Amino acid sequence: MQSDEHAQAGQQGQQGVVGDPIEGRLLEGRYRIGPRIARGGMASVHEATDLRLDRTVAVKIMHPGLGDDDDFAQRFVREARAAARLSHPNVVGVFDQGDDDGTVFLVMELVPGHTLRDTIRKEAPMTPARALAVLEPVLSALAHAHRSGLVHRDIKPENVLIADDGRVKVADFGLAKAVSADTQHTATGGVLIGTVSYLAPELVVDGRSDARADVYAAGVVLHELLTGQKPHEGESPIQVAYKHVHEDVPPPSRLVPGLPDYVDALVARATARDRDQRPADASVLLHQVHRVSQALATGVASDADLAEELRPRPVPVAAEDTEPDPFDTGELATLLTPAQAVSRLPVPDDDHHEHTTTIGSDPEPARPQPRRSRRGPLLLLLALLLAVGLGVGAYWFGWARWTQTPSVLGLKETAATERLGAAGLEASVGTPAYSETVPKGEVLSTDPAAGDRVLDGGTVTVVLSLGKERYQVPKLRGLTEDEAQDAIAARNLEFGEAVGRWSDDVPEGTVLASDPKRGTSLKPGALVDVFVSQGPKPVDVRDWTGKDAERAAAWFAQRGIEVTYGEEQYSDSVPEGGVISQTPASGTLYRGQSVELVVSRGPELVEVPGGLVASGVDAARQQLESLGFVVEVENSSSYIGLGYVFRTDPRSGSMVAKGSTITLYLI
């Protein structure tokens, strides 16, 4: 689940991704799959409709083939069961889980909006009050999970959703494990799950975790909210993981000067490498966040007592880990034993004459004379010499041969080397690093840092700035959507969404363009959207039968449909210039295709014959009806009963429509 499968925010309600084979499927006869809204390494997330309850949901679908792996499938099922146990306003709800003919899926609450990653890109660095306000609902959700015996194990900005109405929800409890459940380490056959930038040191070392791993990840997120940067960066995930184990998270004030000391202390406590120094769970960290928020609300710029209380305690160094004493006190102790010797001493007699005591004689035993011991002064002298030696040694090893590292920040490499050389130090150029604030070619940092102690003649590693880390949007036109995603990821950018666009000349599924455009310089992790061809735009054919042919031709031409014409025909029902017939009259056409129209010439005209006047009525009627006319007979105003045609209406020689009525007036 090391993906952004739950990056539903900012991607929902948009036009769907084209060419997705799962779209339109009906899972277990209940969930109609709609457009894809997120994609990760293990699963993709689709908007879907729950037909049974008539509601819109999010469905996480395991990638094809993974469902065949029992370990993956079981982990996916455990996700549903673990997450379904959580009922909290700041946790994405899990509704259902199923397996439809090998398609393993999870049904979740749909959260329209964006992710915390999007908020970080737009707002970070944030003020401490704003950062804590954003983090508080996340900790509230984690505290609820920890009380339920669950550990999230993959807290990161991509798994924090911010709804359009401002609600904050933690997603993807798929990596949650019961606190009592055993986990395996990678080296022993297990899988190290999580995103490396937010992994607690114990997860890297032995793969085991408890609630304090979530506390560590939340602390890293807080650092990122405050500074806009992840605390540990590296050229590879292994380097980042190594830093989590061996380097403390730097105080946010190093990047954002002026932050209160107790804010630094809060981040240090949450991200302590020794997990015993961290808050026991998210509830404890949430309490500490409330205390810091209260201090910020009252405008306290510095609170030494609060900072001292929050700051993790130094870990005592074990005796066997200390450096050996450079002096061998064992040898010195042997010098403190005085030599013993036998002396022959003169013994005066009563007459003050000296007598010599010899070996073997038996004189009167001589009275021992008191003598002053030389042992005490010798020991004192040696102790003083030892103290002076130790003092001189301590001064030499602990101070005299050390110097302070001069500040060379902001200098060019040559100037930095000269300044270090003037201080009796060697300069070594380390691996350059990107910086948003230090111009390219200037010193970004040193090891040891400015003001730290370094041996005389020692080496100071200088890290030069590469300037702002930017990556250009690659050429994506002509690639498939998957190829475009790979090309974007190769530039340390993130794939945003695929928006379908109609195209007459680019095949369906091929990238048309990107937003931002090719060559645009972007920060790492910036979103790049692509426009993907949906092929020619279909045209729903409209039936123009009986309507004006010119208007029909203009309508089709506007949509790229070619109009051809059949032979014009007479029509008694369709007026001249109207459409008698259309092929096709319905269905779908595409640009470049054609439609045929047959245009009406109106009704067929027939000449009223001459010679009808003065003819008999029966003969006139027969002649007109043979031409297709309808005949009516009336008496004229001059009618005298002869029965001959006096006049016609219309008159002879007139062109009238076939089937028209001809009136015969008799005299």
Side-chain angles (χ1 to χ4, degrees), residues 291-586:
R291 294 186 59 193
V292 171
S293 297
Q294 185 176 6
L296 291 169
T298 57
V300 177
S302 176
D303 189 331
D305 293 337
L306 178 57
E308 182 62 25
E309 183 179 344
L310 291 175
R311 191 175 294 114
R313 303 291 180 263
V315 179
V317 181
E320 58 269 21
D321 293 336
T322 58
E323 294 184 3
D325 191 335
F327 298 99
D328 189 345
T329 55
E331 284 188 6
L332 191 60
T334 62
L335 299 177
L336 299 180
T337 304
Q340 302 296 326
V342 178
S343 300
R344 296 177 65 196
L345 299 176
V347 181
D349 59 10
D350 293 340
D351 297 329
H352 303 284
H353 295 292
E354 292 184 354
H355 296 274
T356 302
T357 302
T358 60
I359 297 176
S361 64
D362 189 20
E364 180 181 354
R367 181 177 298 175
Q369 298 295 317
R371 61 181 179 178
R372 298 178 62 184
S373 174
R374 299 179 182 178
R375 186 174 183 179
L378 179 61
L379 290 176
L380 178 60
L381 176 61
L382 291 175
L384 290 173
L385 291 175
L386 175 61
V388 172
L390 289 173
V392 172
Y395 173 74
W396 170 252
F397 286 98
W399 186 259
R401 64 177 185 151
W402 296 82
T403 186
Q404 276 193 336
T405 304
S407 175
V408 293
L409 300 180
L411 299 181
K412 297 289 187 180
E413 179 183 350
T414 302
T417 302
E418 292 176 353
R419 179 173 293 185
L420 291 172
L425 302 172
E426 295 288 336
S428 173
V429 179
T431 303
Y434 291 102
S435 172
E436 291 293 313
T437 56
V438 179
K440 183 177 181 180
E442 295 183 3
V443 177
L444 173 62
S445 64
T446 60
D447 184 19
D452 289 351
R453 295 197 306 160
V454 61
L455 288 172
D456 282 335
T459 301
V460 175
T461 302
V462 175
V463 177
L464 298 176
S465 172
L466 291 173
K468 295 181 179 181
E469 185 177 9
R470 295 292 184 270
Y471 298 94
Q472 289 190 342
V473 177
K475 177 185 177 183
L476 302 177
R477 181 178 176 84
L479 303 181
T480 65
E481 182 185 339
D482 287 340
E483 290 172 342
Q485 290 192 24
D486 293 339
I488 291 170
R491 295 290 180 93
N492 286 338
L493 302 174
E494 290 191 17
F495 181 82
E497 61 177 335
V499 180
R501 292 285 176 85
W502 304 114
S503 175
D504 297 330
D505 51 1
V506 177
E508 182 178 358
T510 303
V511 175
L512 297 167
S514 64
D515 183 22
K517 297 180 180 180
R518 172 189 178 186
T520 304
S521 293
L522 301 175
K523 291 184 178 180
L527 292 177
V528 178
D529 298 331
V530 295
F531 301 101
V532 182
S533 171
Q534 294 177 294
K537 183 177 181 179
V539 177
D540 293 330
V541 176
R542 177 180 173 183
D543 187 3
W544 285 87
T545 302
K547 299 180 176 63
D548 184 73
E550 290 185 357
R551 288 184 57 202
W555 187 88
F556 284 113
Q558 187 178 9
R559 288 157 179 77
I561 305 299
E562 183 180 352
V563 177
T564 62
Y565 296 93
E567 184 178 356
E568 292 185 352
Q569 299 177 7
Y570 291 106
S571 173
D572 295 333
S573 58
V574 178
E576 182 179 3
V579 177
I580 295 177
S581 64
Q582 171 184 315
T583 307
S586 62

Side-chain angles (χ1 to χ4, degrees), residues 607-627 629-639 642-653 656 660-667:
E607 183 180 1
V608 177
L612 297 176
V613 176
S615 64
V617 63
D618 292 334
R621 182 194 299 274
Q622 183 178 3
Q623 184 178 358
L624 290 172
E625 288 180 348
S626 68
L627 294 175
F629 294 114
V630 176
V631 178
E632 291 185 357
V633 178
E634 293 185 12
N635 294 328
S636 67
S637 58
S638 302
Y639 180 73
L642 296 179
Y644 291 96
V645 176
F646 179 71
R647 62 183 178 88
T648 63
D649 184 22
R651 295 181 179 183
S652 297
V656 296
S660 298
T661 299
I662 305 296
T663 304
L664 300 177
Y665 292 94
L666 304 181
I667 189 168

Side-chain angles (χ1 to χ4, degrees), residues 277-301:
Q277 295 279 341
R278 293 180 221 144
D281 58 24
S283 298
V284 179
L285 179 58
L286 183 59
H287 173 71
Q288 294 173 347
V289 165
H290 288 160
R291 294 186 59 193
V292 171
S293 297
Q294 185 176 6
L296 291 169
T298 57
V300 177

